[in-house]
Amino acid sequence: MSNIVGIEYNRVTNTTSTDFPGFQKDESAAWDVEDFKKSFDVKITSLDEREANFDLMRIDTSIANAFRRIMISEVPSVAAEYVYFFNNTSVIQDEVLAHRIGLTPLKVDPDMLSWIDPSLPEAEKFTDENTIVLSLNVKCTRNPDAPKNCTDPKILYHNAHIYARDLKFEPQGKQTNTFAKNPVVPADPDILLAKLRPGQEISLRAHCVLGVGSDHAKFSPVSTASYRLMPHINITQPITGESAKKLVGMFSPGVIDIDGNGAAYVKDARHDTVSREVLRHEEFEDKIKLGRVRDHFIFNVESTGAMTPEEIFFKSVRILKNKAEYLKNCPISQ
C-alpha cells in the first residue's frame, strides 16, 4: 500500500515524496532501466481524431507532469502571426479580427515548415519554407432573390457571416507541390470570424508561422491536456443488503455494483470522482478505504485539430528525450 495516497474525511495521507523519483521507503533508491521496462505500461482507453484517453502506469509524477507541460507549451504548431489589412469596413477592429484569425487552428503538419531566423532582415525572413499565406477577400451584398418577408440575414445577404472556411490558402513557391495532397485548411471550418452587412468588406493576408504555446496560446496544439491519479477503493468488510444498495448510490455510476450474493464490490474504480460522500456516513466507517494510486496516471488529451492527439504525445516524448540528451551531453562547468 506504499504507493496509495490515502483519502480520509478531512485530510490526505501518504503524500510525502523524496529526491529520488519512484523511490519508496524500505526499497533501493537505485534506478534500473530494465526494471522500468518490465513494470512500465501504457493502456489506451479511447482514441480518435480529436481526443485520446490513456493510462501511463508505474511512472513517476515528475515525468508524467513533464509530458503534460510539454504538450501544452512546447509542441510546435502553425498559426497566423502577421495579418496585413488592405481593407476592413466591418464593425470589428483590425486587431480584434487579427486575434480571431490567429486563434483559428490550422490543419497543417508543423514538420513541413522550418523556423524563422530572427537574425535575418525583415525582407528576407519569410520564405516558402517557413511561412504559409492565407487570404480573406469578402464583400457583403444584398440577395435580390430573398423572400419578401424574410428576416434571416444569411438569406437576405451574401457573405453576411464570415467563417474560417473563407480563409483561402495561397501556395508560395514550391508549396504548390509540397502541399498538393494536404492543402492548408482550418481545423474547424465553421468558426465565425465576423458578421457583415451590405457595403462592408474585408480584404487581408495572413502569414502563418511555427510557434510554441509558451510564446502564445494560439500555438498550443491542445485544447486540454490533463491527468488524474487512478482512484483506489478498498472494501475491507462485507457490505450487503440495503447498505450495499445505499453504497452504490454514493459513487458515480459503474463504480460499485452488487454481486449474486447481494454483496457490494468494486466494479470499475476508474469512473470514481473521489467525492468522499461515503466517508460522511458512520455505518461505512472502517468498511471502506479510499485512495489514489500514486504511479498510475489517467491522461486526457484533446487536440485543437492541428494534429491528432497521438502525434502531440509522441512529439512531447521526442522533445523530452532531446532535453535529456542535451543535459546528458552538456559539459558541467567547474
Side-chain angles (χ1 to χ4, degrees):
M1 298 295 289
S2 60
N3 69 331
I4 302 297
V5 176
I7 297 176
E8 298 182 6
Y9 180 76
N10 57 0
R11 64 173 182 160
V12 179
T13 62
N14 195 29
T15 59
T16 33
S17 184
T18 69
D19 293 332
F20 302 95
F23 172 74
Q24 303 291 342
K25 66 178 183 179
D26 302 326
E27 294 181 10
S28 171
W31 189 82
D32 185 270
V33 65
E34 295 302 324
D35 290 341
F36 174 76
K37 288 180 180 179
K38 293 176 182 177
S39 61
F40 177 68
D41 197 10
V42 179
K43 178 183 177 183
I44 300 175
T45 305
S46 62
L47 179 64
D48 56 36
E49 287 294 315
R50 286 297 183 94
E51 190 171 2
N53 191 279
F54 58 91
D55 296 12
L56 296 184
M57 292 167 273
R58 267 79 67 185
I59 193 171
D60 188 71
T61 307
S62 59
I63 304 300
N65 196 46
F67 287 141
R68 182 190 67 84
R69 296 185 60 160
I70 290 173
M71 285 188 282
I72 292 173
S73 63
E74 296 187 53
V75 174
S77 68
V78 179
E81 177 74 355
Y82 305 92
V83 181
Y84 303 93
F85 285 87
F86 305 113
N87 194 8
N88 178 21
T89 57
S90 71
V91 296
I92 300 182
Q93 299 93 331
D94 291 357
E95 59 270 26
V96 176
L97 182 55
H99 187 255
R100 293 179 70 87
I101 293 173
L103 288 172
T104 301
L106 302 175
K107 199 170 184 61
V108 53
D109 184 358
D111 293 336
M112 299 180 74
L113 293 182
S114 59
W115 291 89
I116 288 180
D117 187 352
S119 64
L120 293 175
E122 194 71 21
E124 300 177 14
K125 272 186 179 181
F126 308 108
T127 69
D128 58 352
E129 294 183 349
N130 61 28
T131 305
I132 286 174
V133 177
L134 300 178
S135 65
L136 179 62
N137 296 288
V138 290
K139 183 176 182 179
C140 183
T141 58
R142 295 185 182 277
N143 178 14
D145 300 322
K148 184 177 180 180
N149 297 323
C150 179
T151 58
D152 187 351
K154 293 183 180 180
I155 300 176
L156 285 173
Y157 317 121
H158 296 300
N159 295 325
H161 292 184
I162 308 306
Y163 296 96
R165 59 173 172 266
D166 295 313
L167 292 168
K168 305 302 180 185
F169 172 47
E170 293 187 358
Q172 307 293 314
K174 60 183 180 182
Q175 289 180 355
T176 304
N177 296 325
T178 305
F179 295 96
K181 295 183 178 179
N182 298 295
V184 179
V185 294
D188 293 293
D190 295 329
I191 295 176
L192 182 66
L193 299 179
K195 292 183 179 181
L196 302 181
R197 289 302 178 263
Q200 296 178 346
E201 61 180 299
I202 298 173
S203 179
L204 59 83
R205 297 182 85 199
H207 287 189
C208 309
V209 300
L210 277 176
V212 292
S214 57
D215 289 335
H216 195 287
K218 66 185 178 184
F219 290 115
S220 181
V222 298
S223 298
T224 58
S226 62
Y227 65 75
R228 61 189 177 97
L229 292 177
M230 181 70 171
H232 182 268
I233 304 171
N234 184 23
I235 300 178
T236 59
Q237 300 178 30
I239 301 175
T240 59
E242 290 300 318
S243 294
K245 295 179 181 179
K246 185 177 179 180
L247 184 67
V248 171
M250 292 180 181
F251 290 86
S252 301
V255 176
I256 304 294
D257 205 350
I258 300 175
D259 60 22
N261 297 321
Y265 71 97
V266 181
K267 183 179 181 180
D268 190 352
R270 184 188 186 86
H271 298 300
D272 183 34
T273 58
V274 195
S275 67
R276 310 192 203 190
E277 171 65 19
V278 68
L279 300 180
R280 296 176 62 243
H281 300 267
E282 293 184 3
E283 64 182 286
F284 298 112
E285 190 175 352
D286 298 328
K287 293 183 179 180
I288 294 283
K289 295 293 183 182
L290 301 181
R292 290 198 176 194
V293 184
R294 182 192 296 274
D295 56 359
H296 187 151
F297 299 88
I298 302 174
F299 271 82
N300 191 78
V301 179
E302 183 180 347
S303 170
T304 61
M307 61 193 87
T308 60
E310 64 264 34
E311 286 181 281
I312 296 172
F313 180 70
F314 291 151
K315 288 179 186 295
S316 73
V317 174
R318 185 173 65 189
I319 291 172
L320 184 59
K321 178 183 177 182
N322 291 340
K323 286 176 178 285
E325 288 290 342
Y326 173 79
L327 185 62
K328 179 180 177 181
N329 299 323
C330 183
I332 301 175
S333 59
Q334 300 295 329

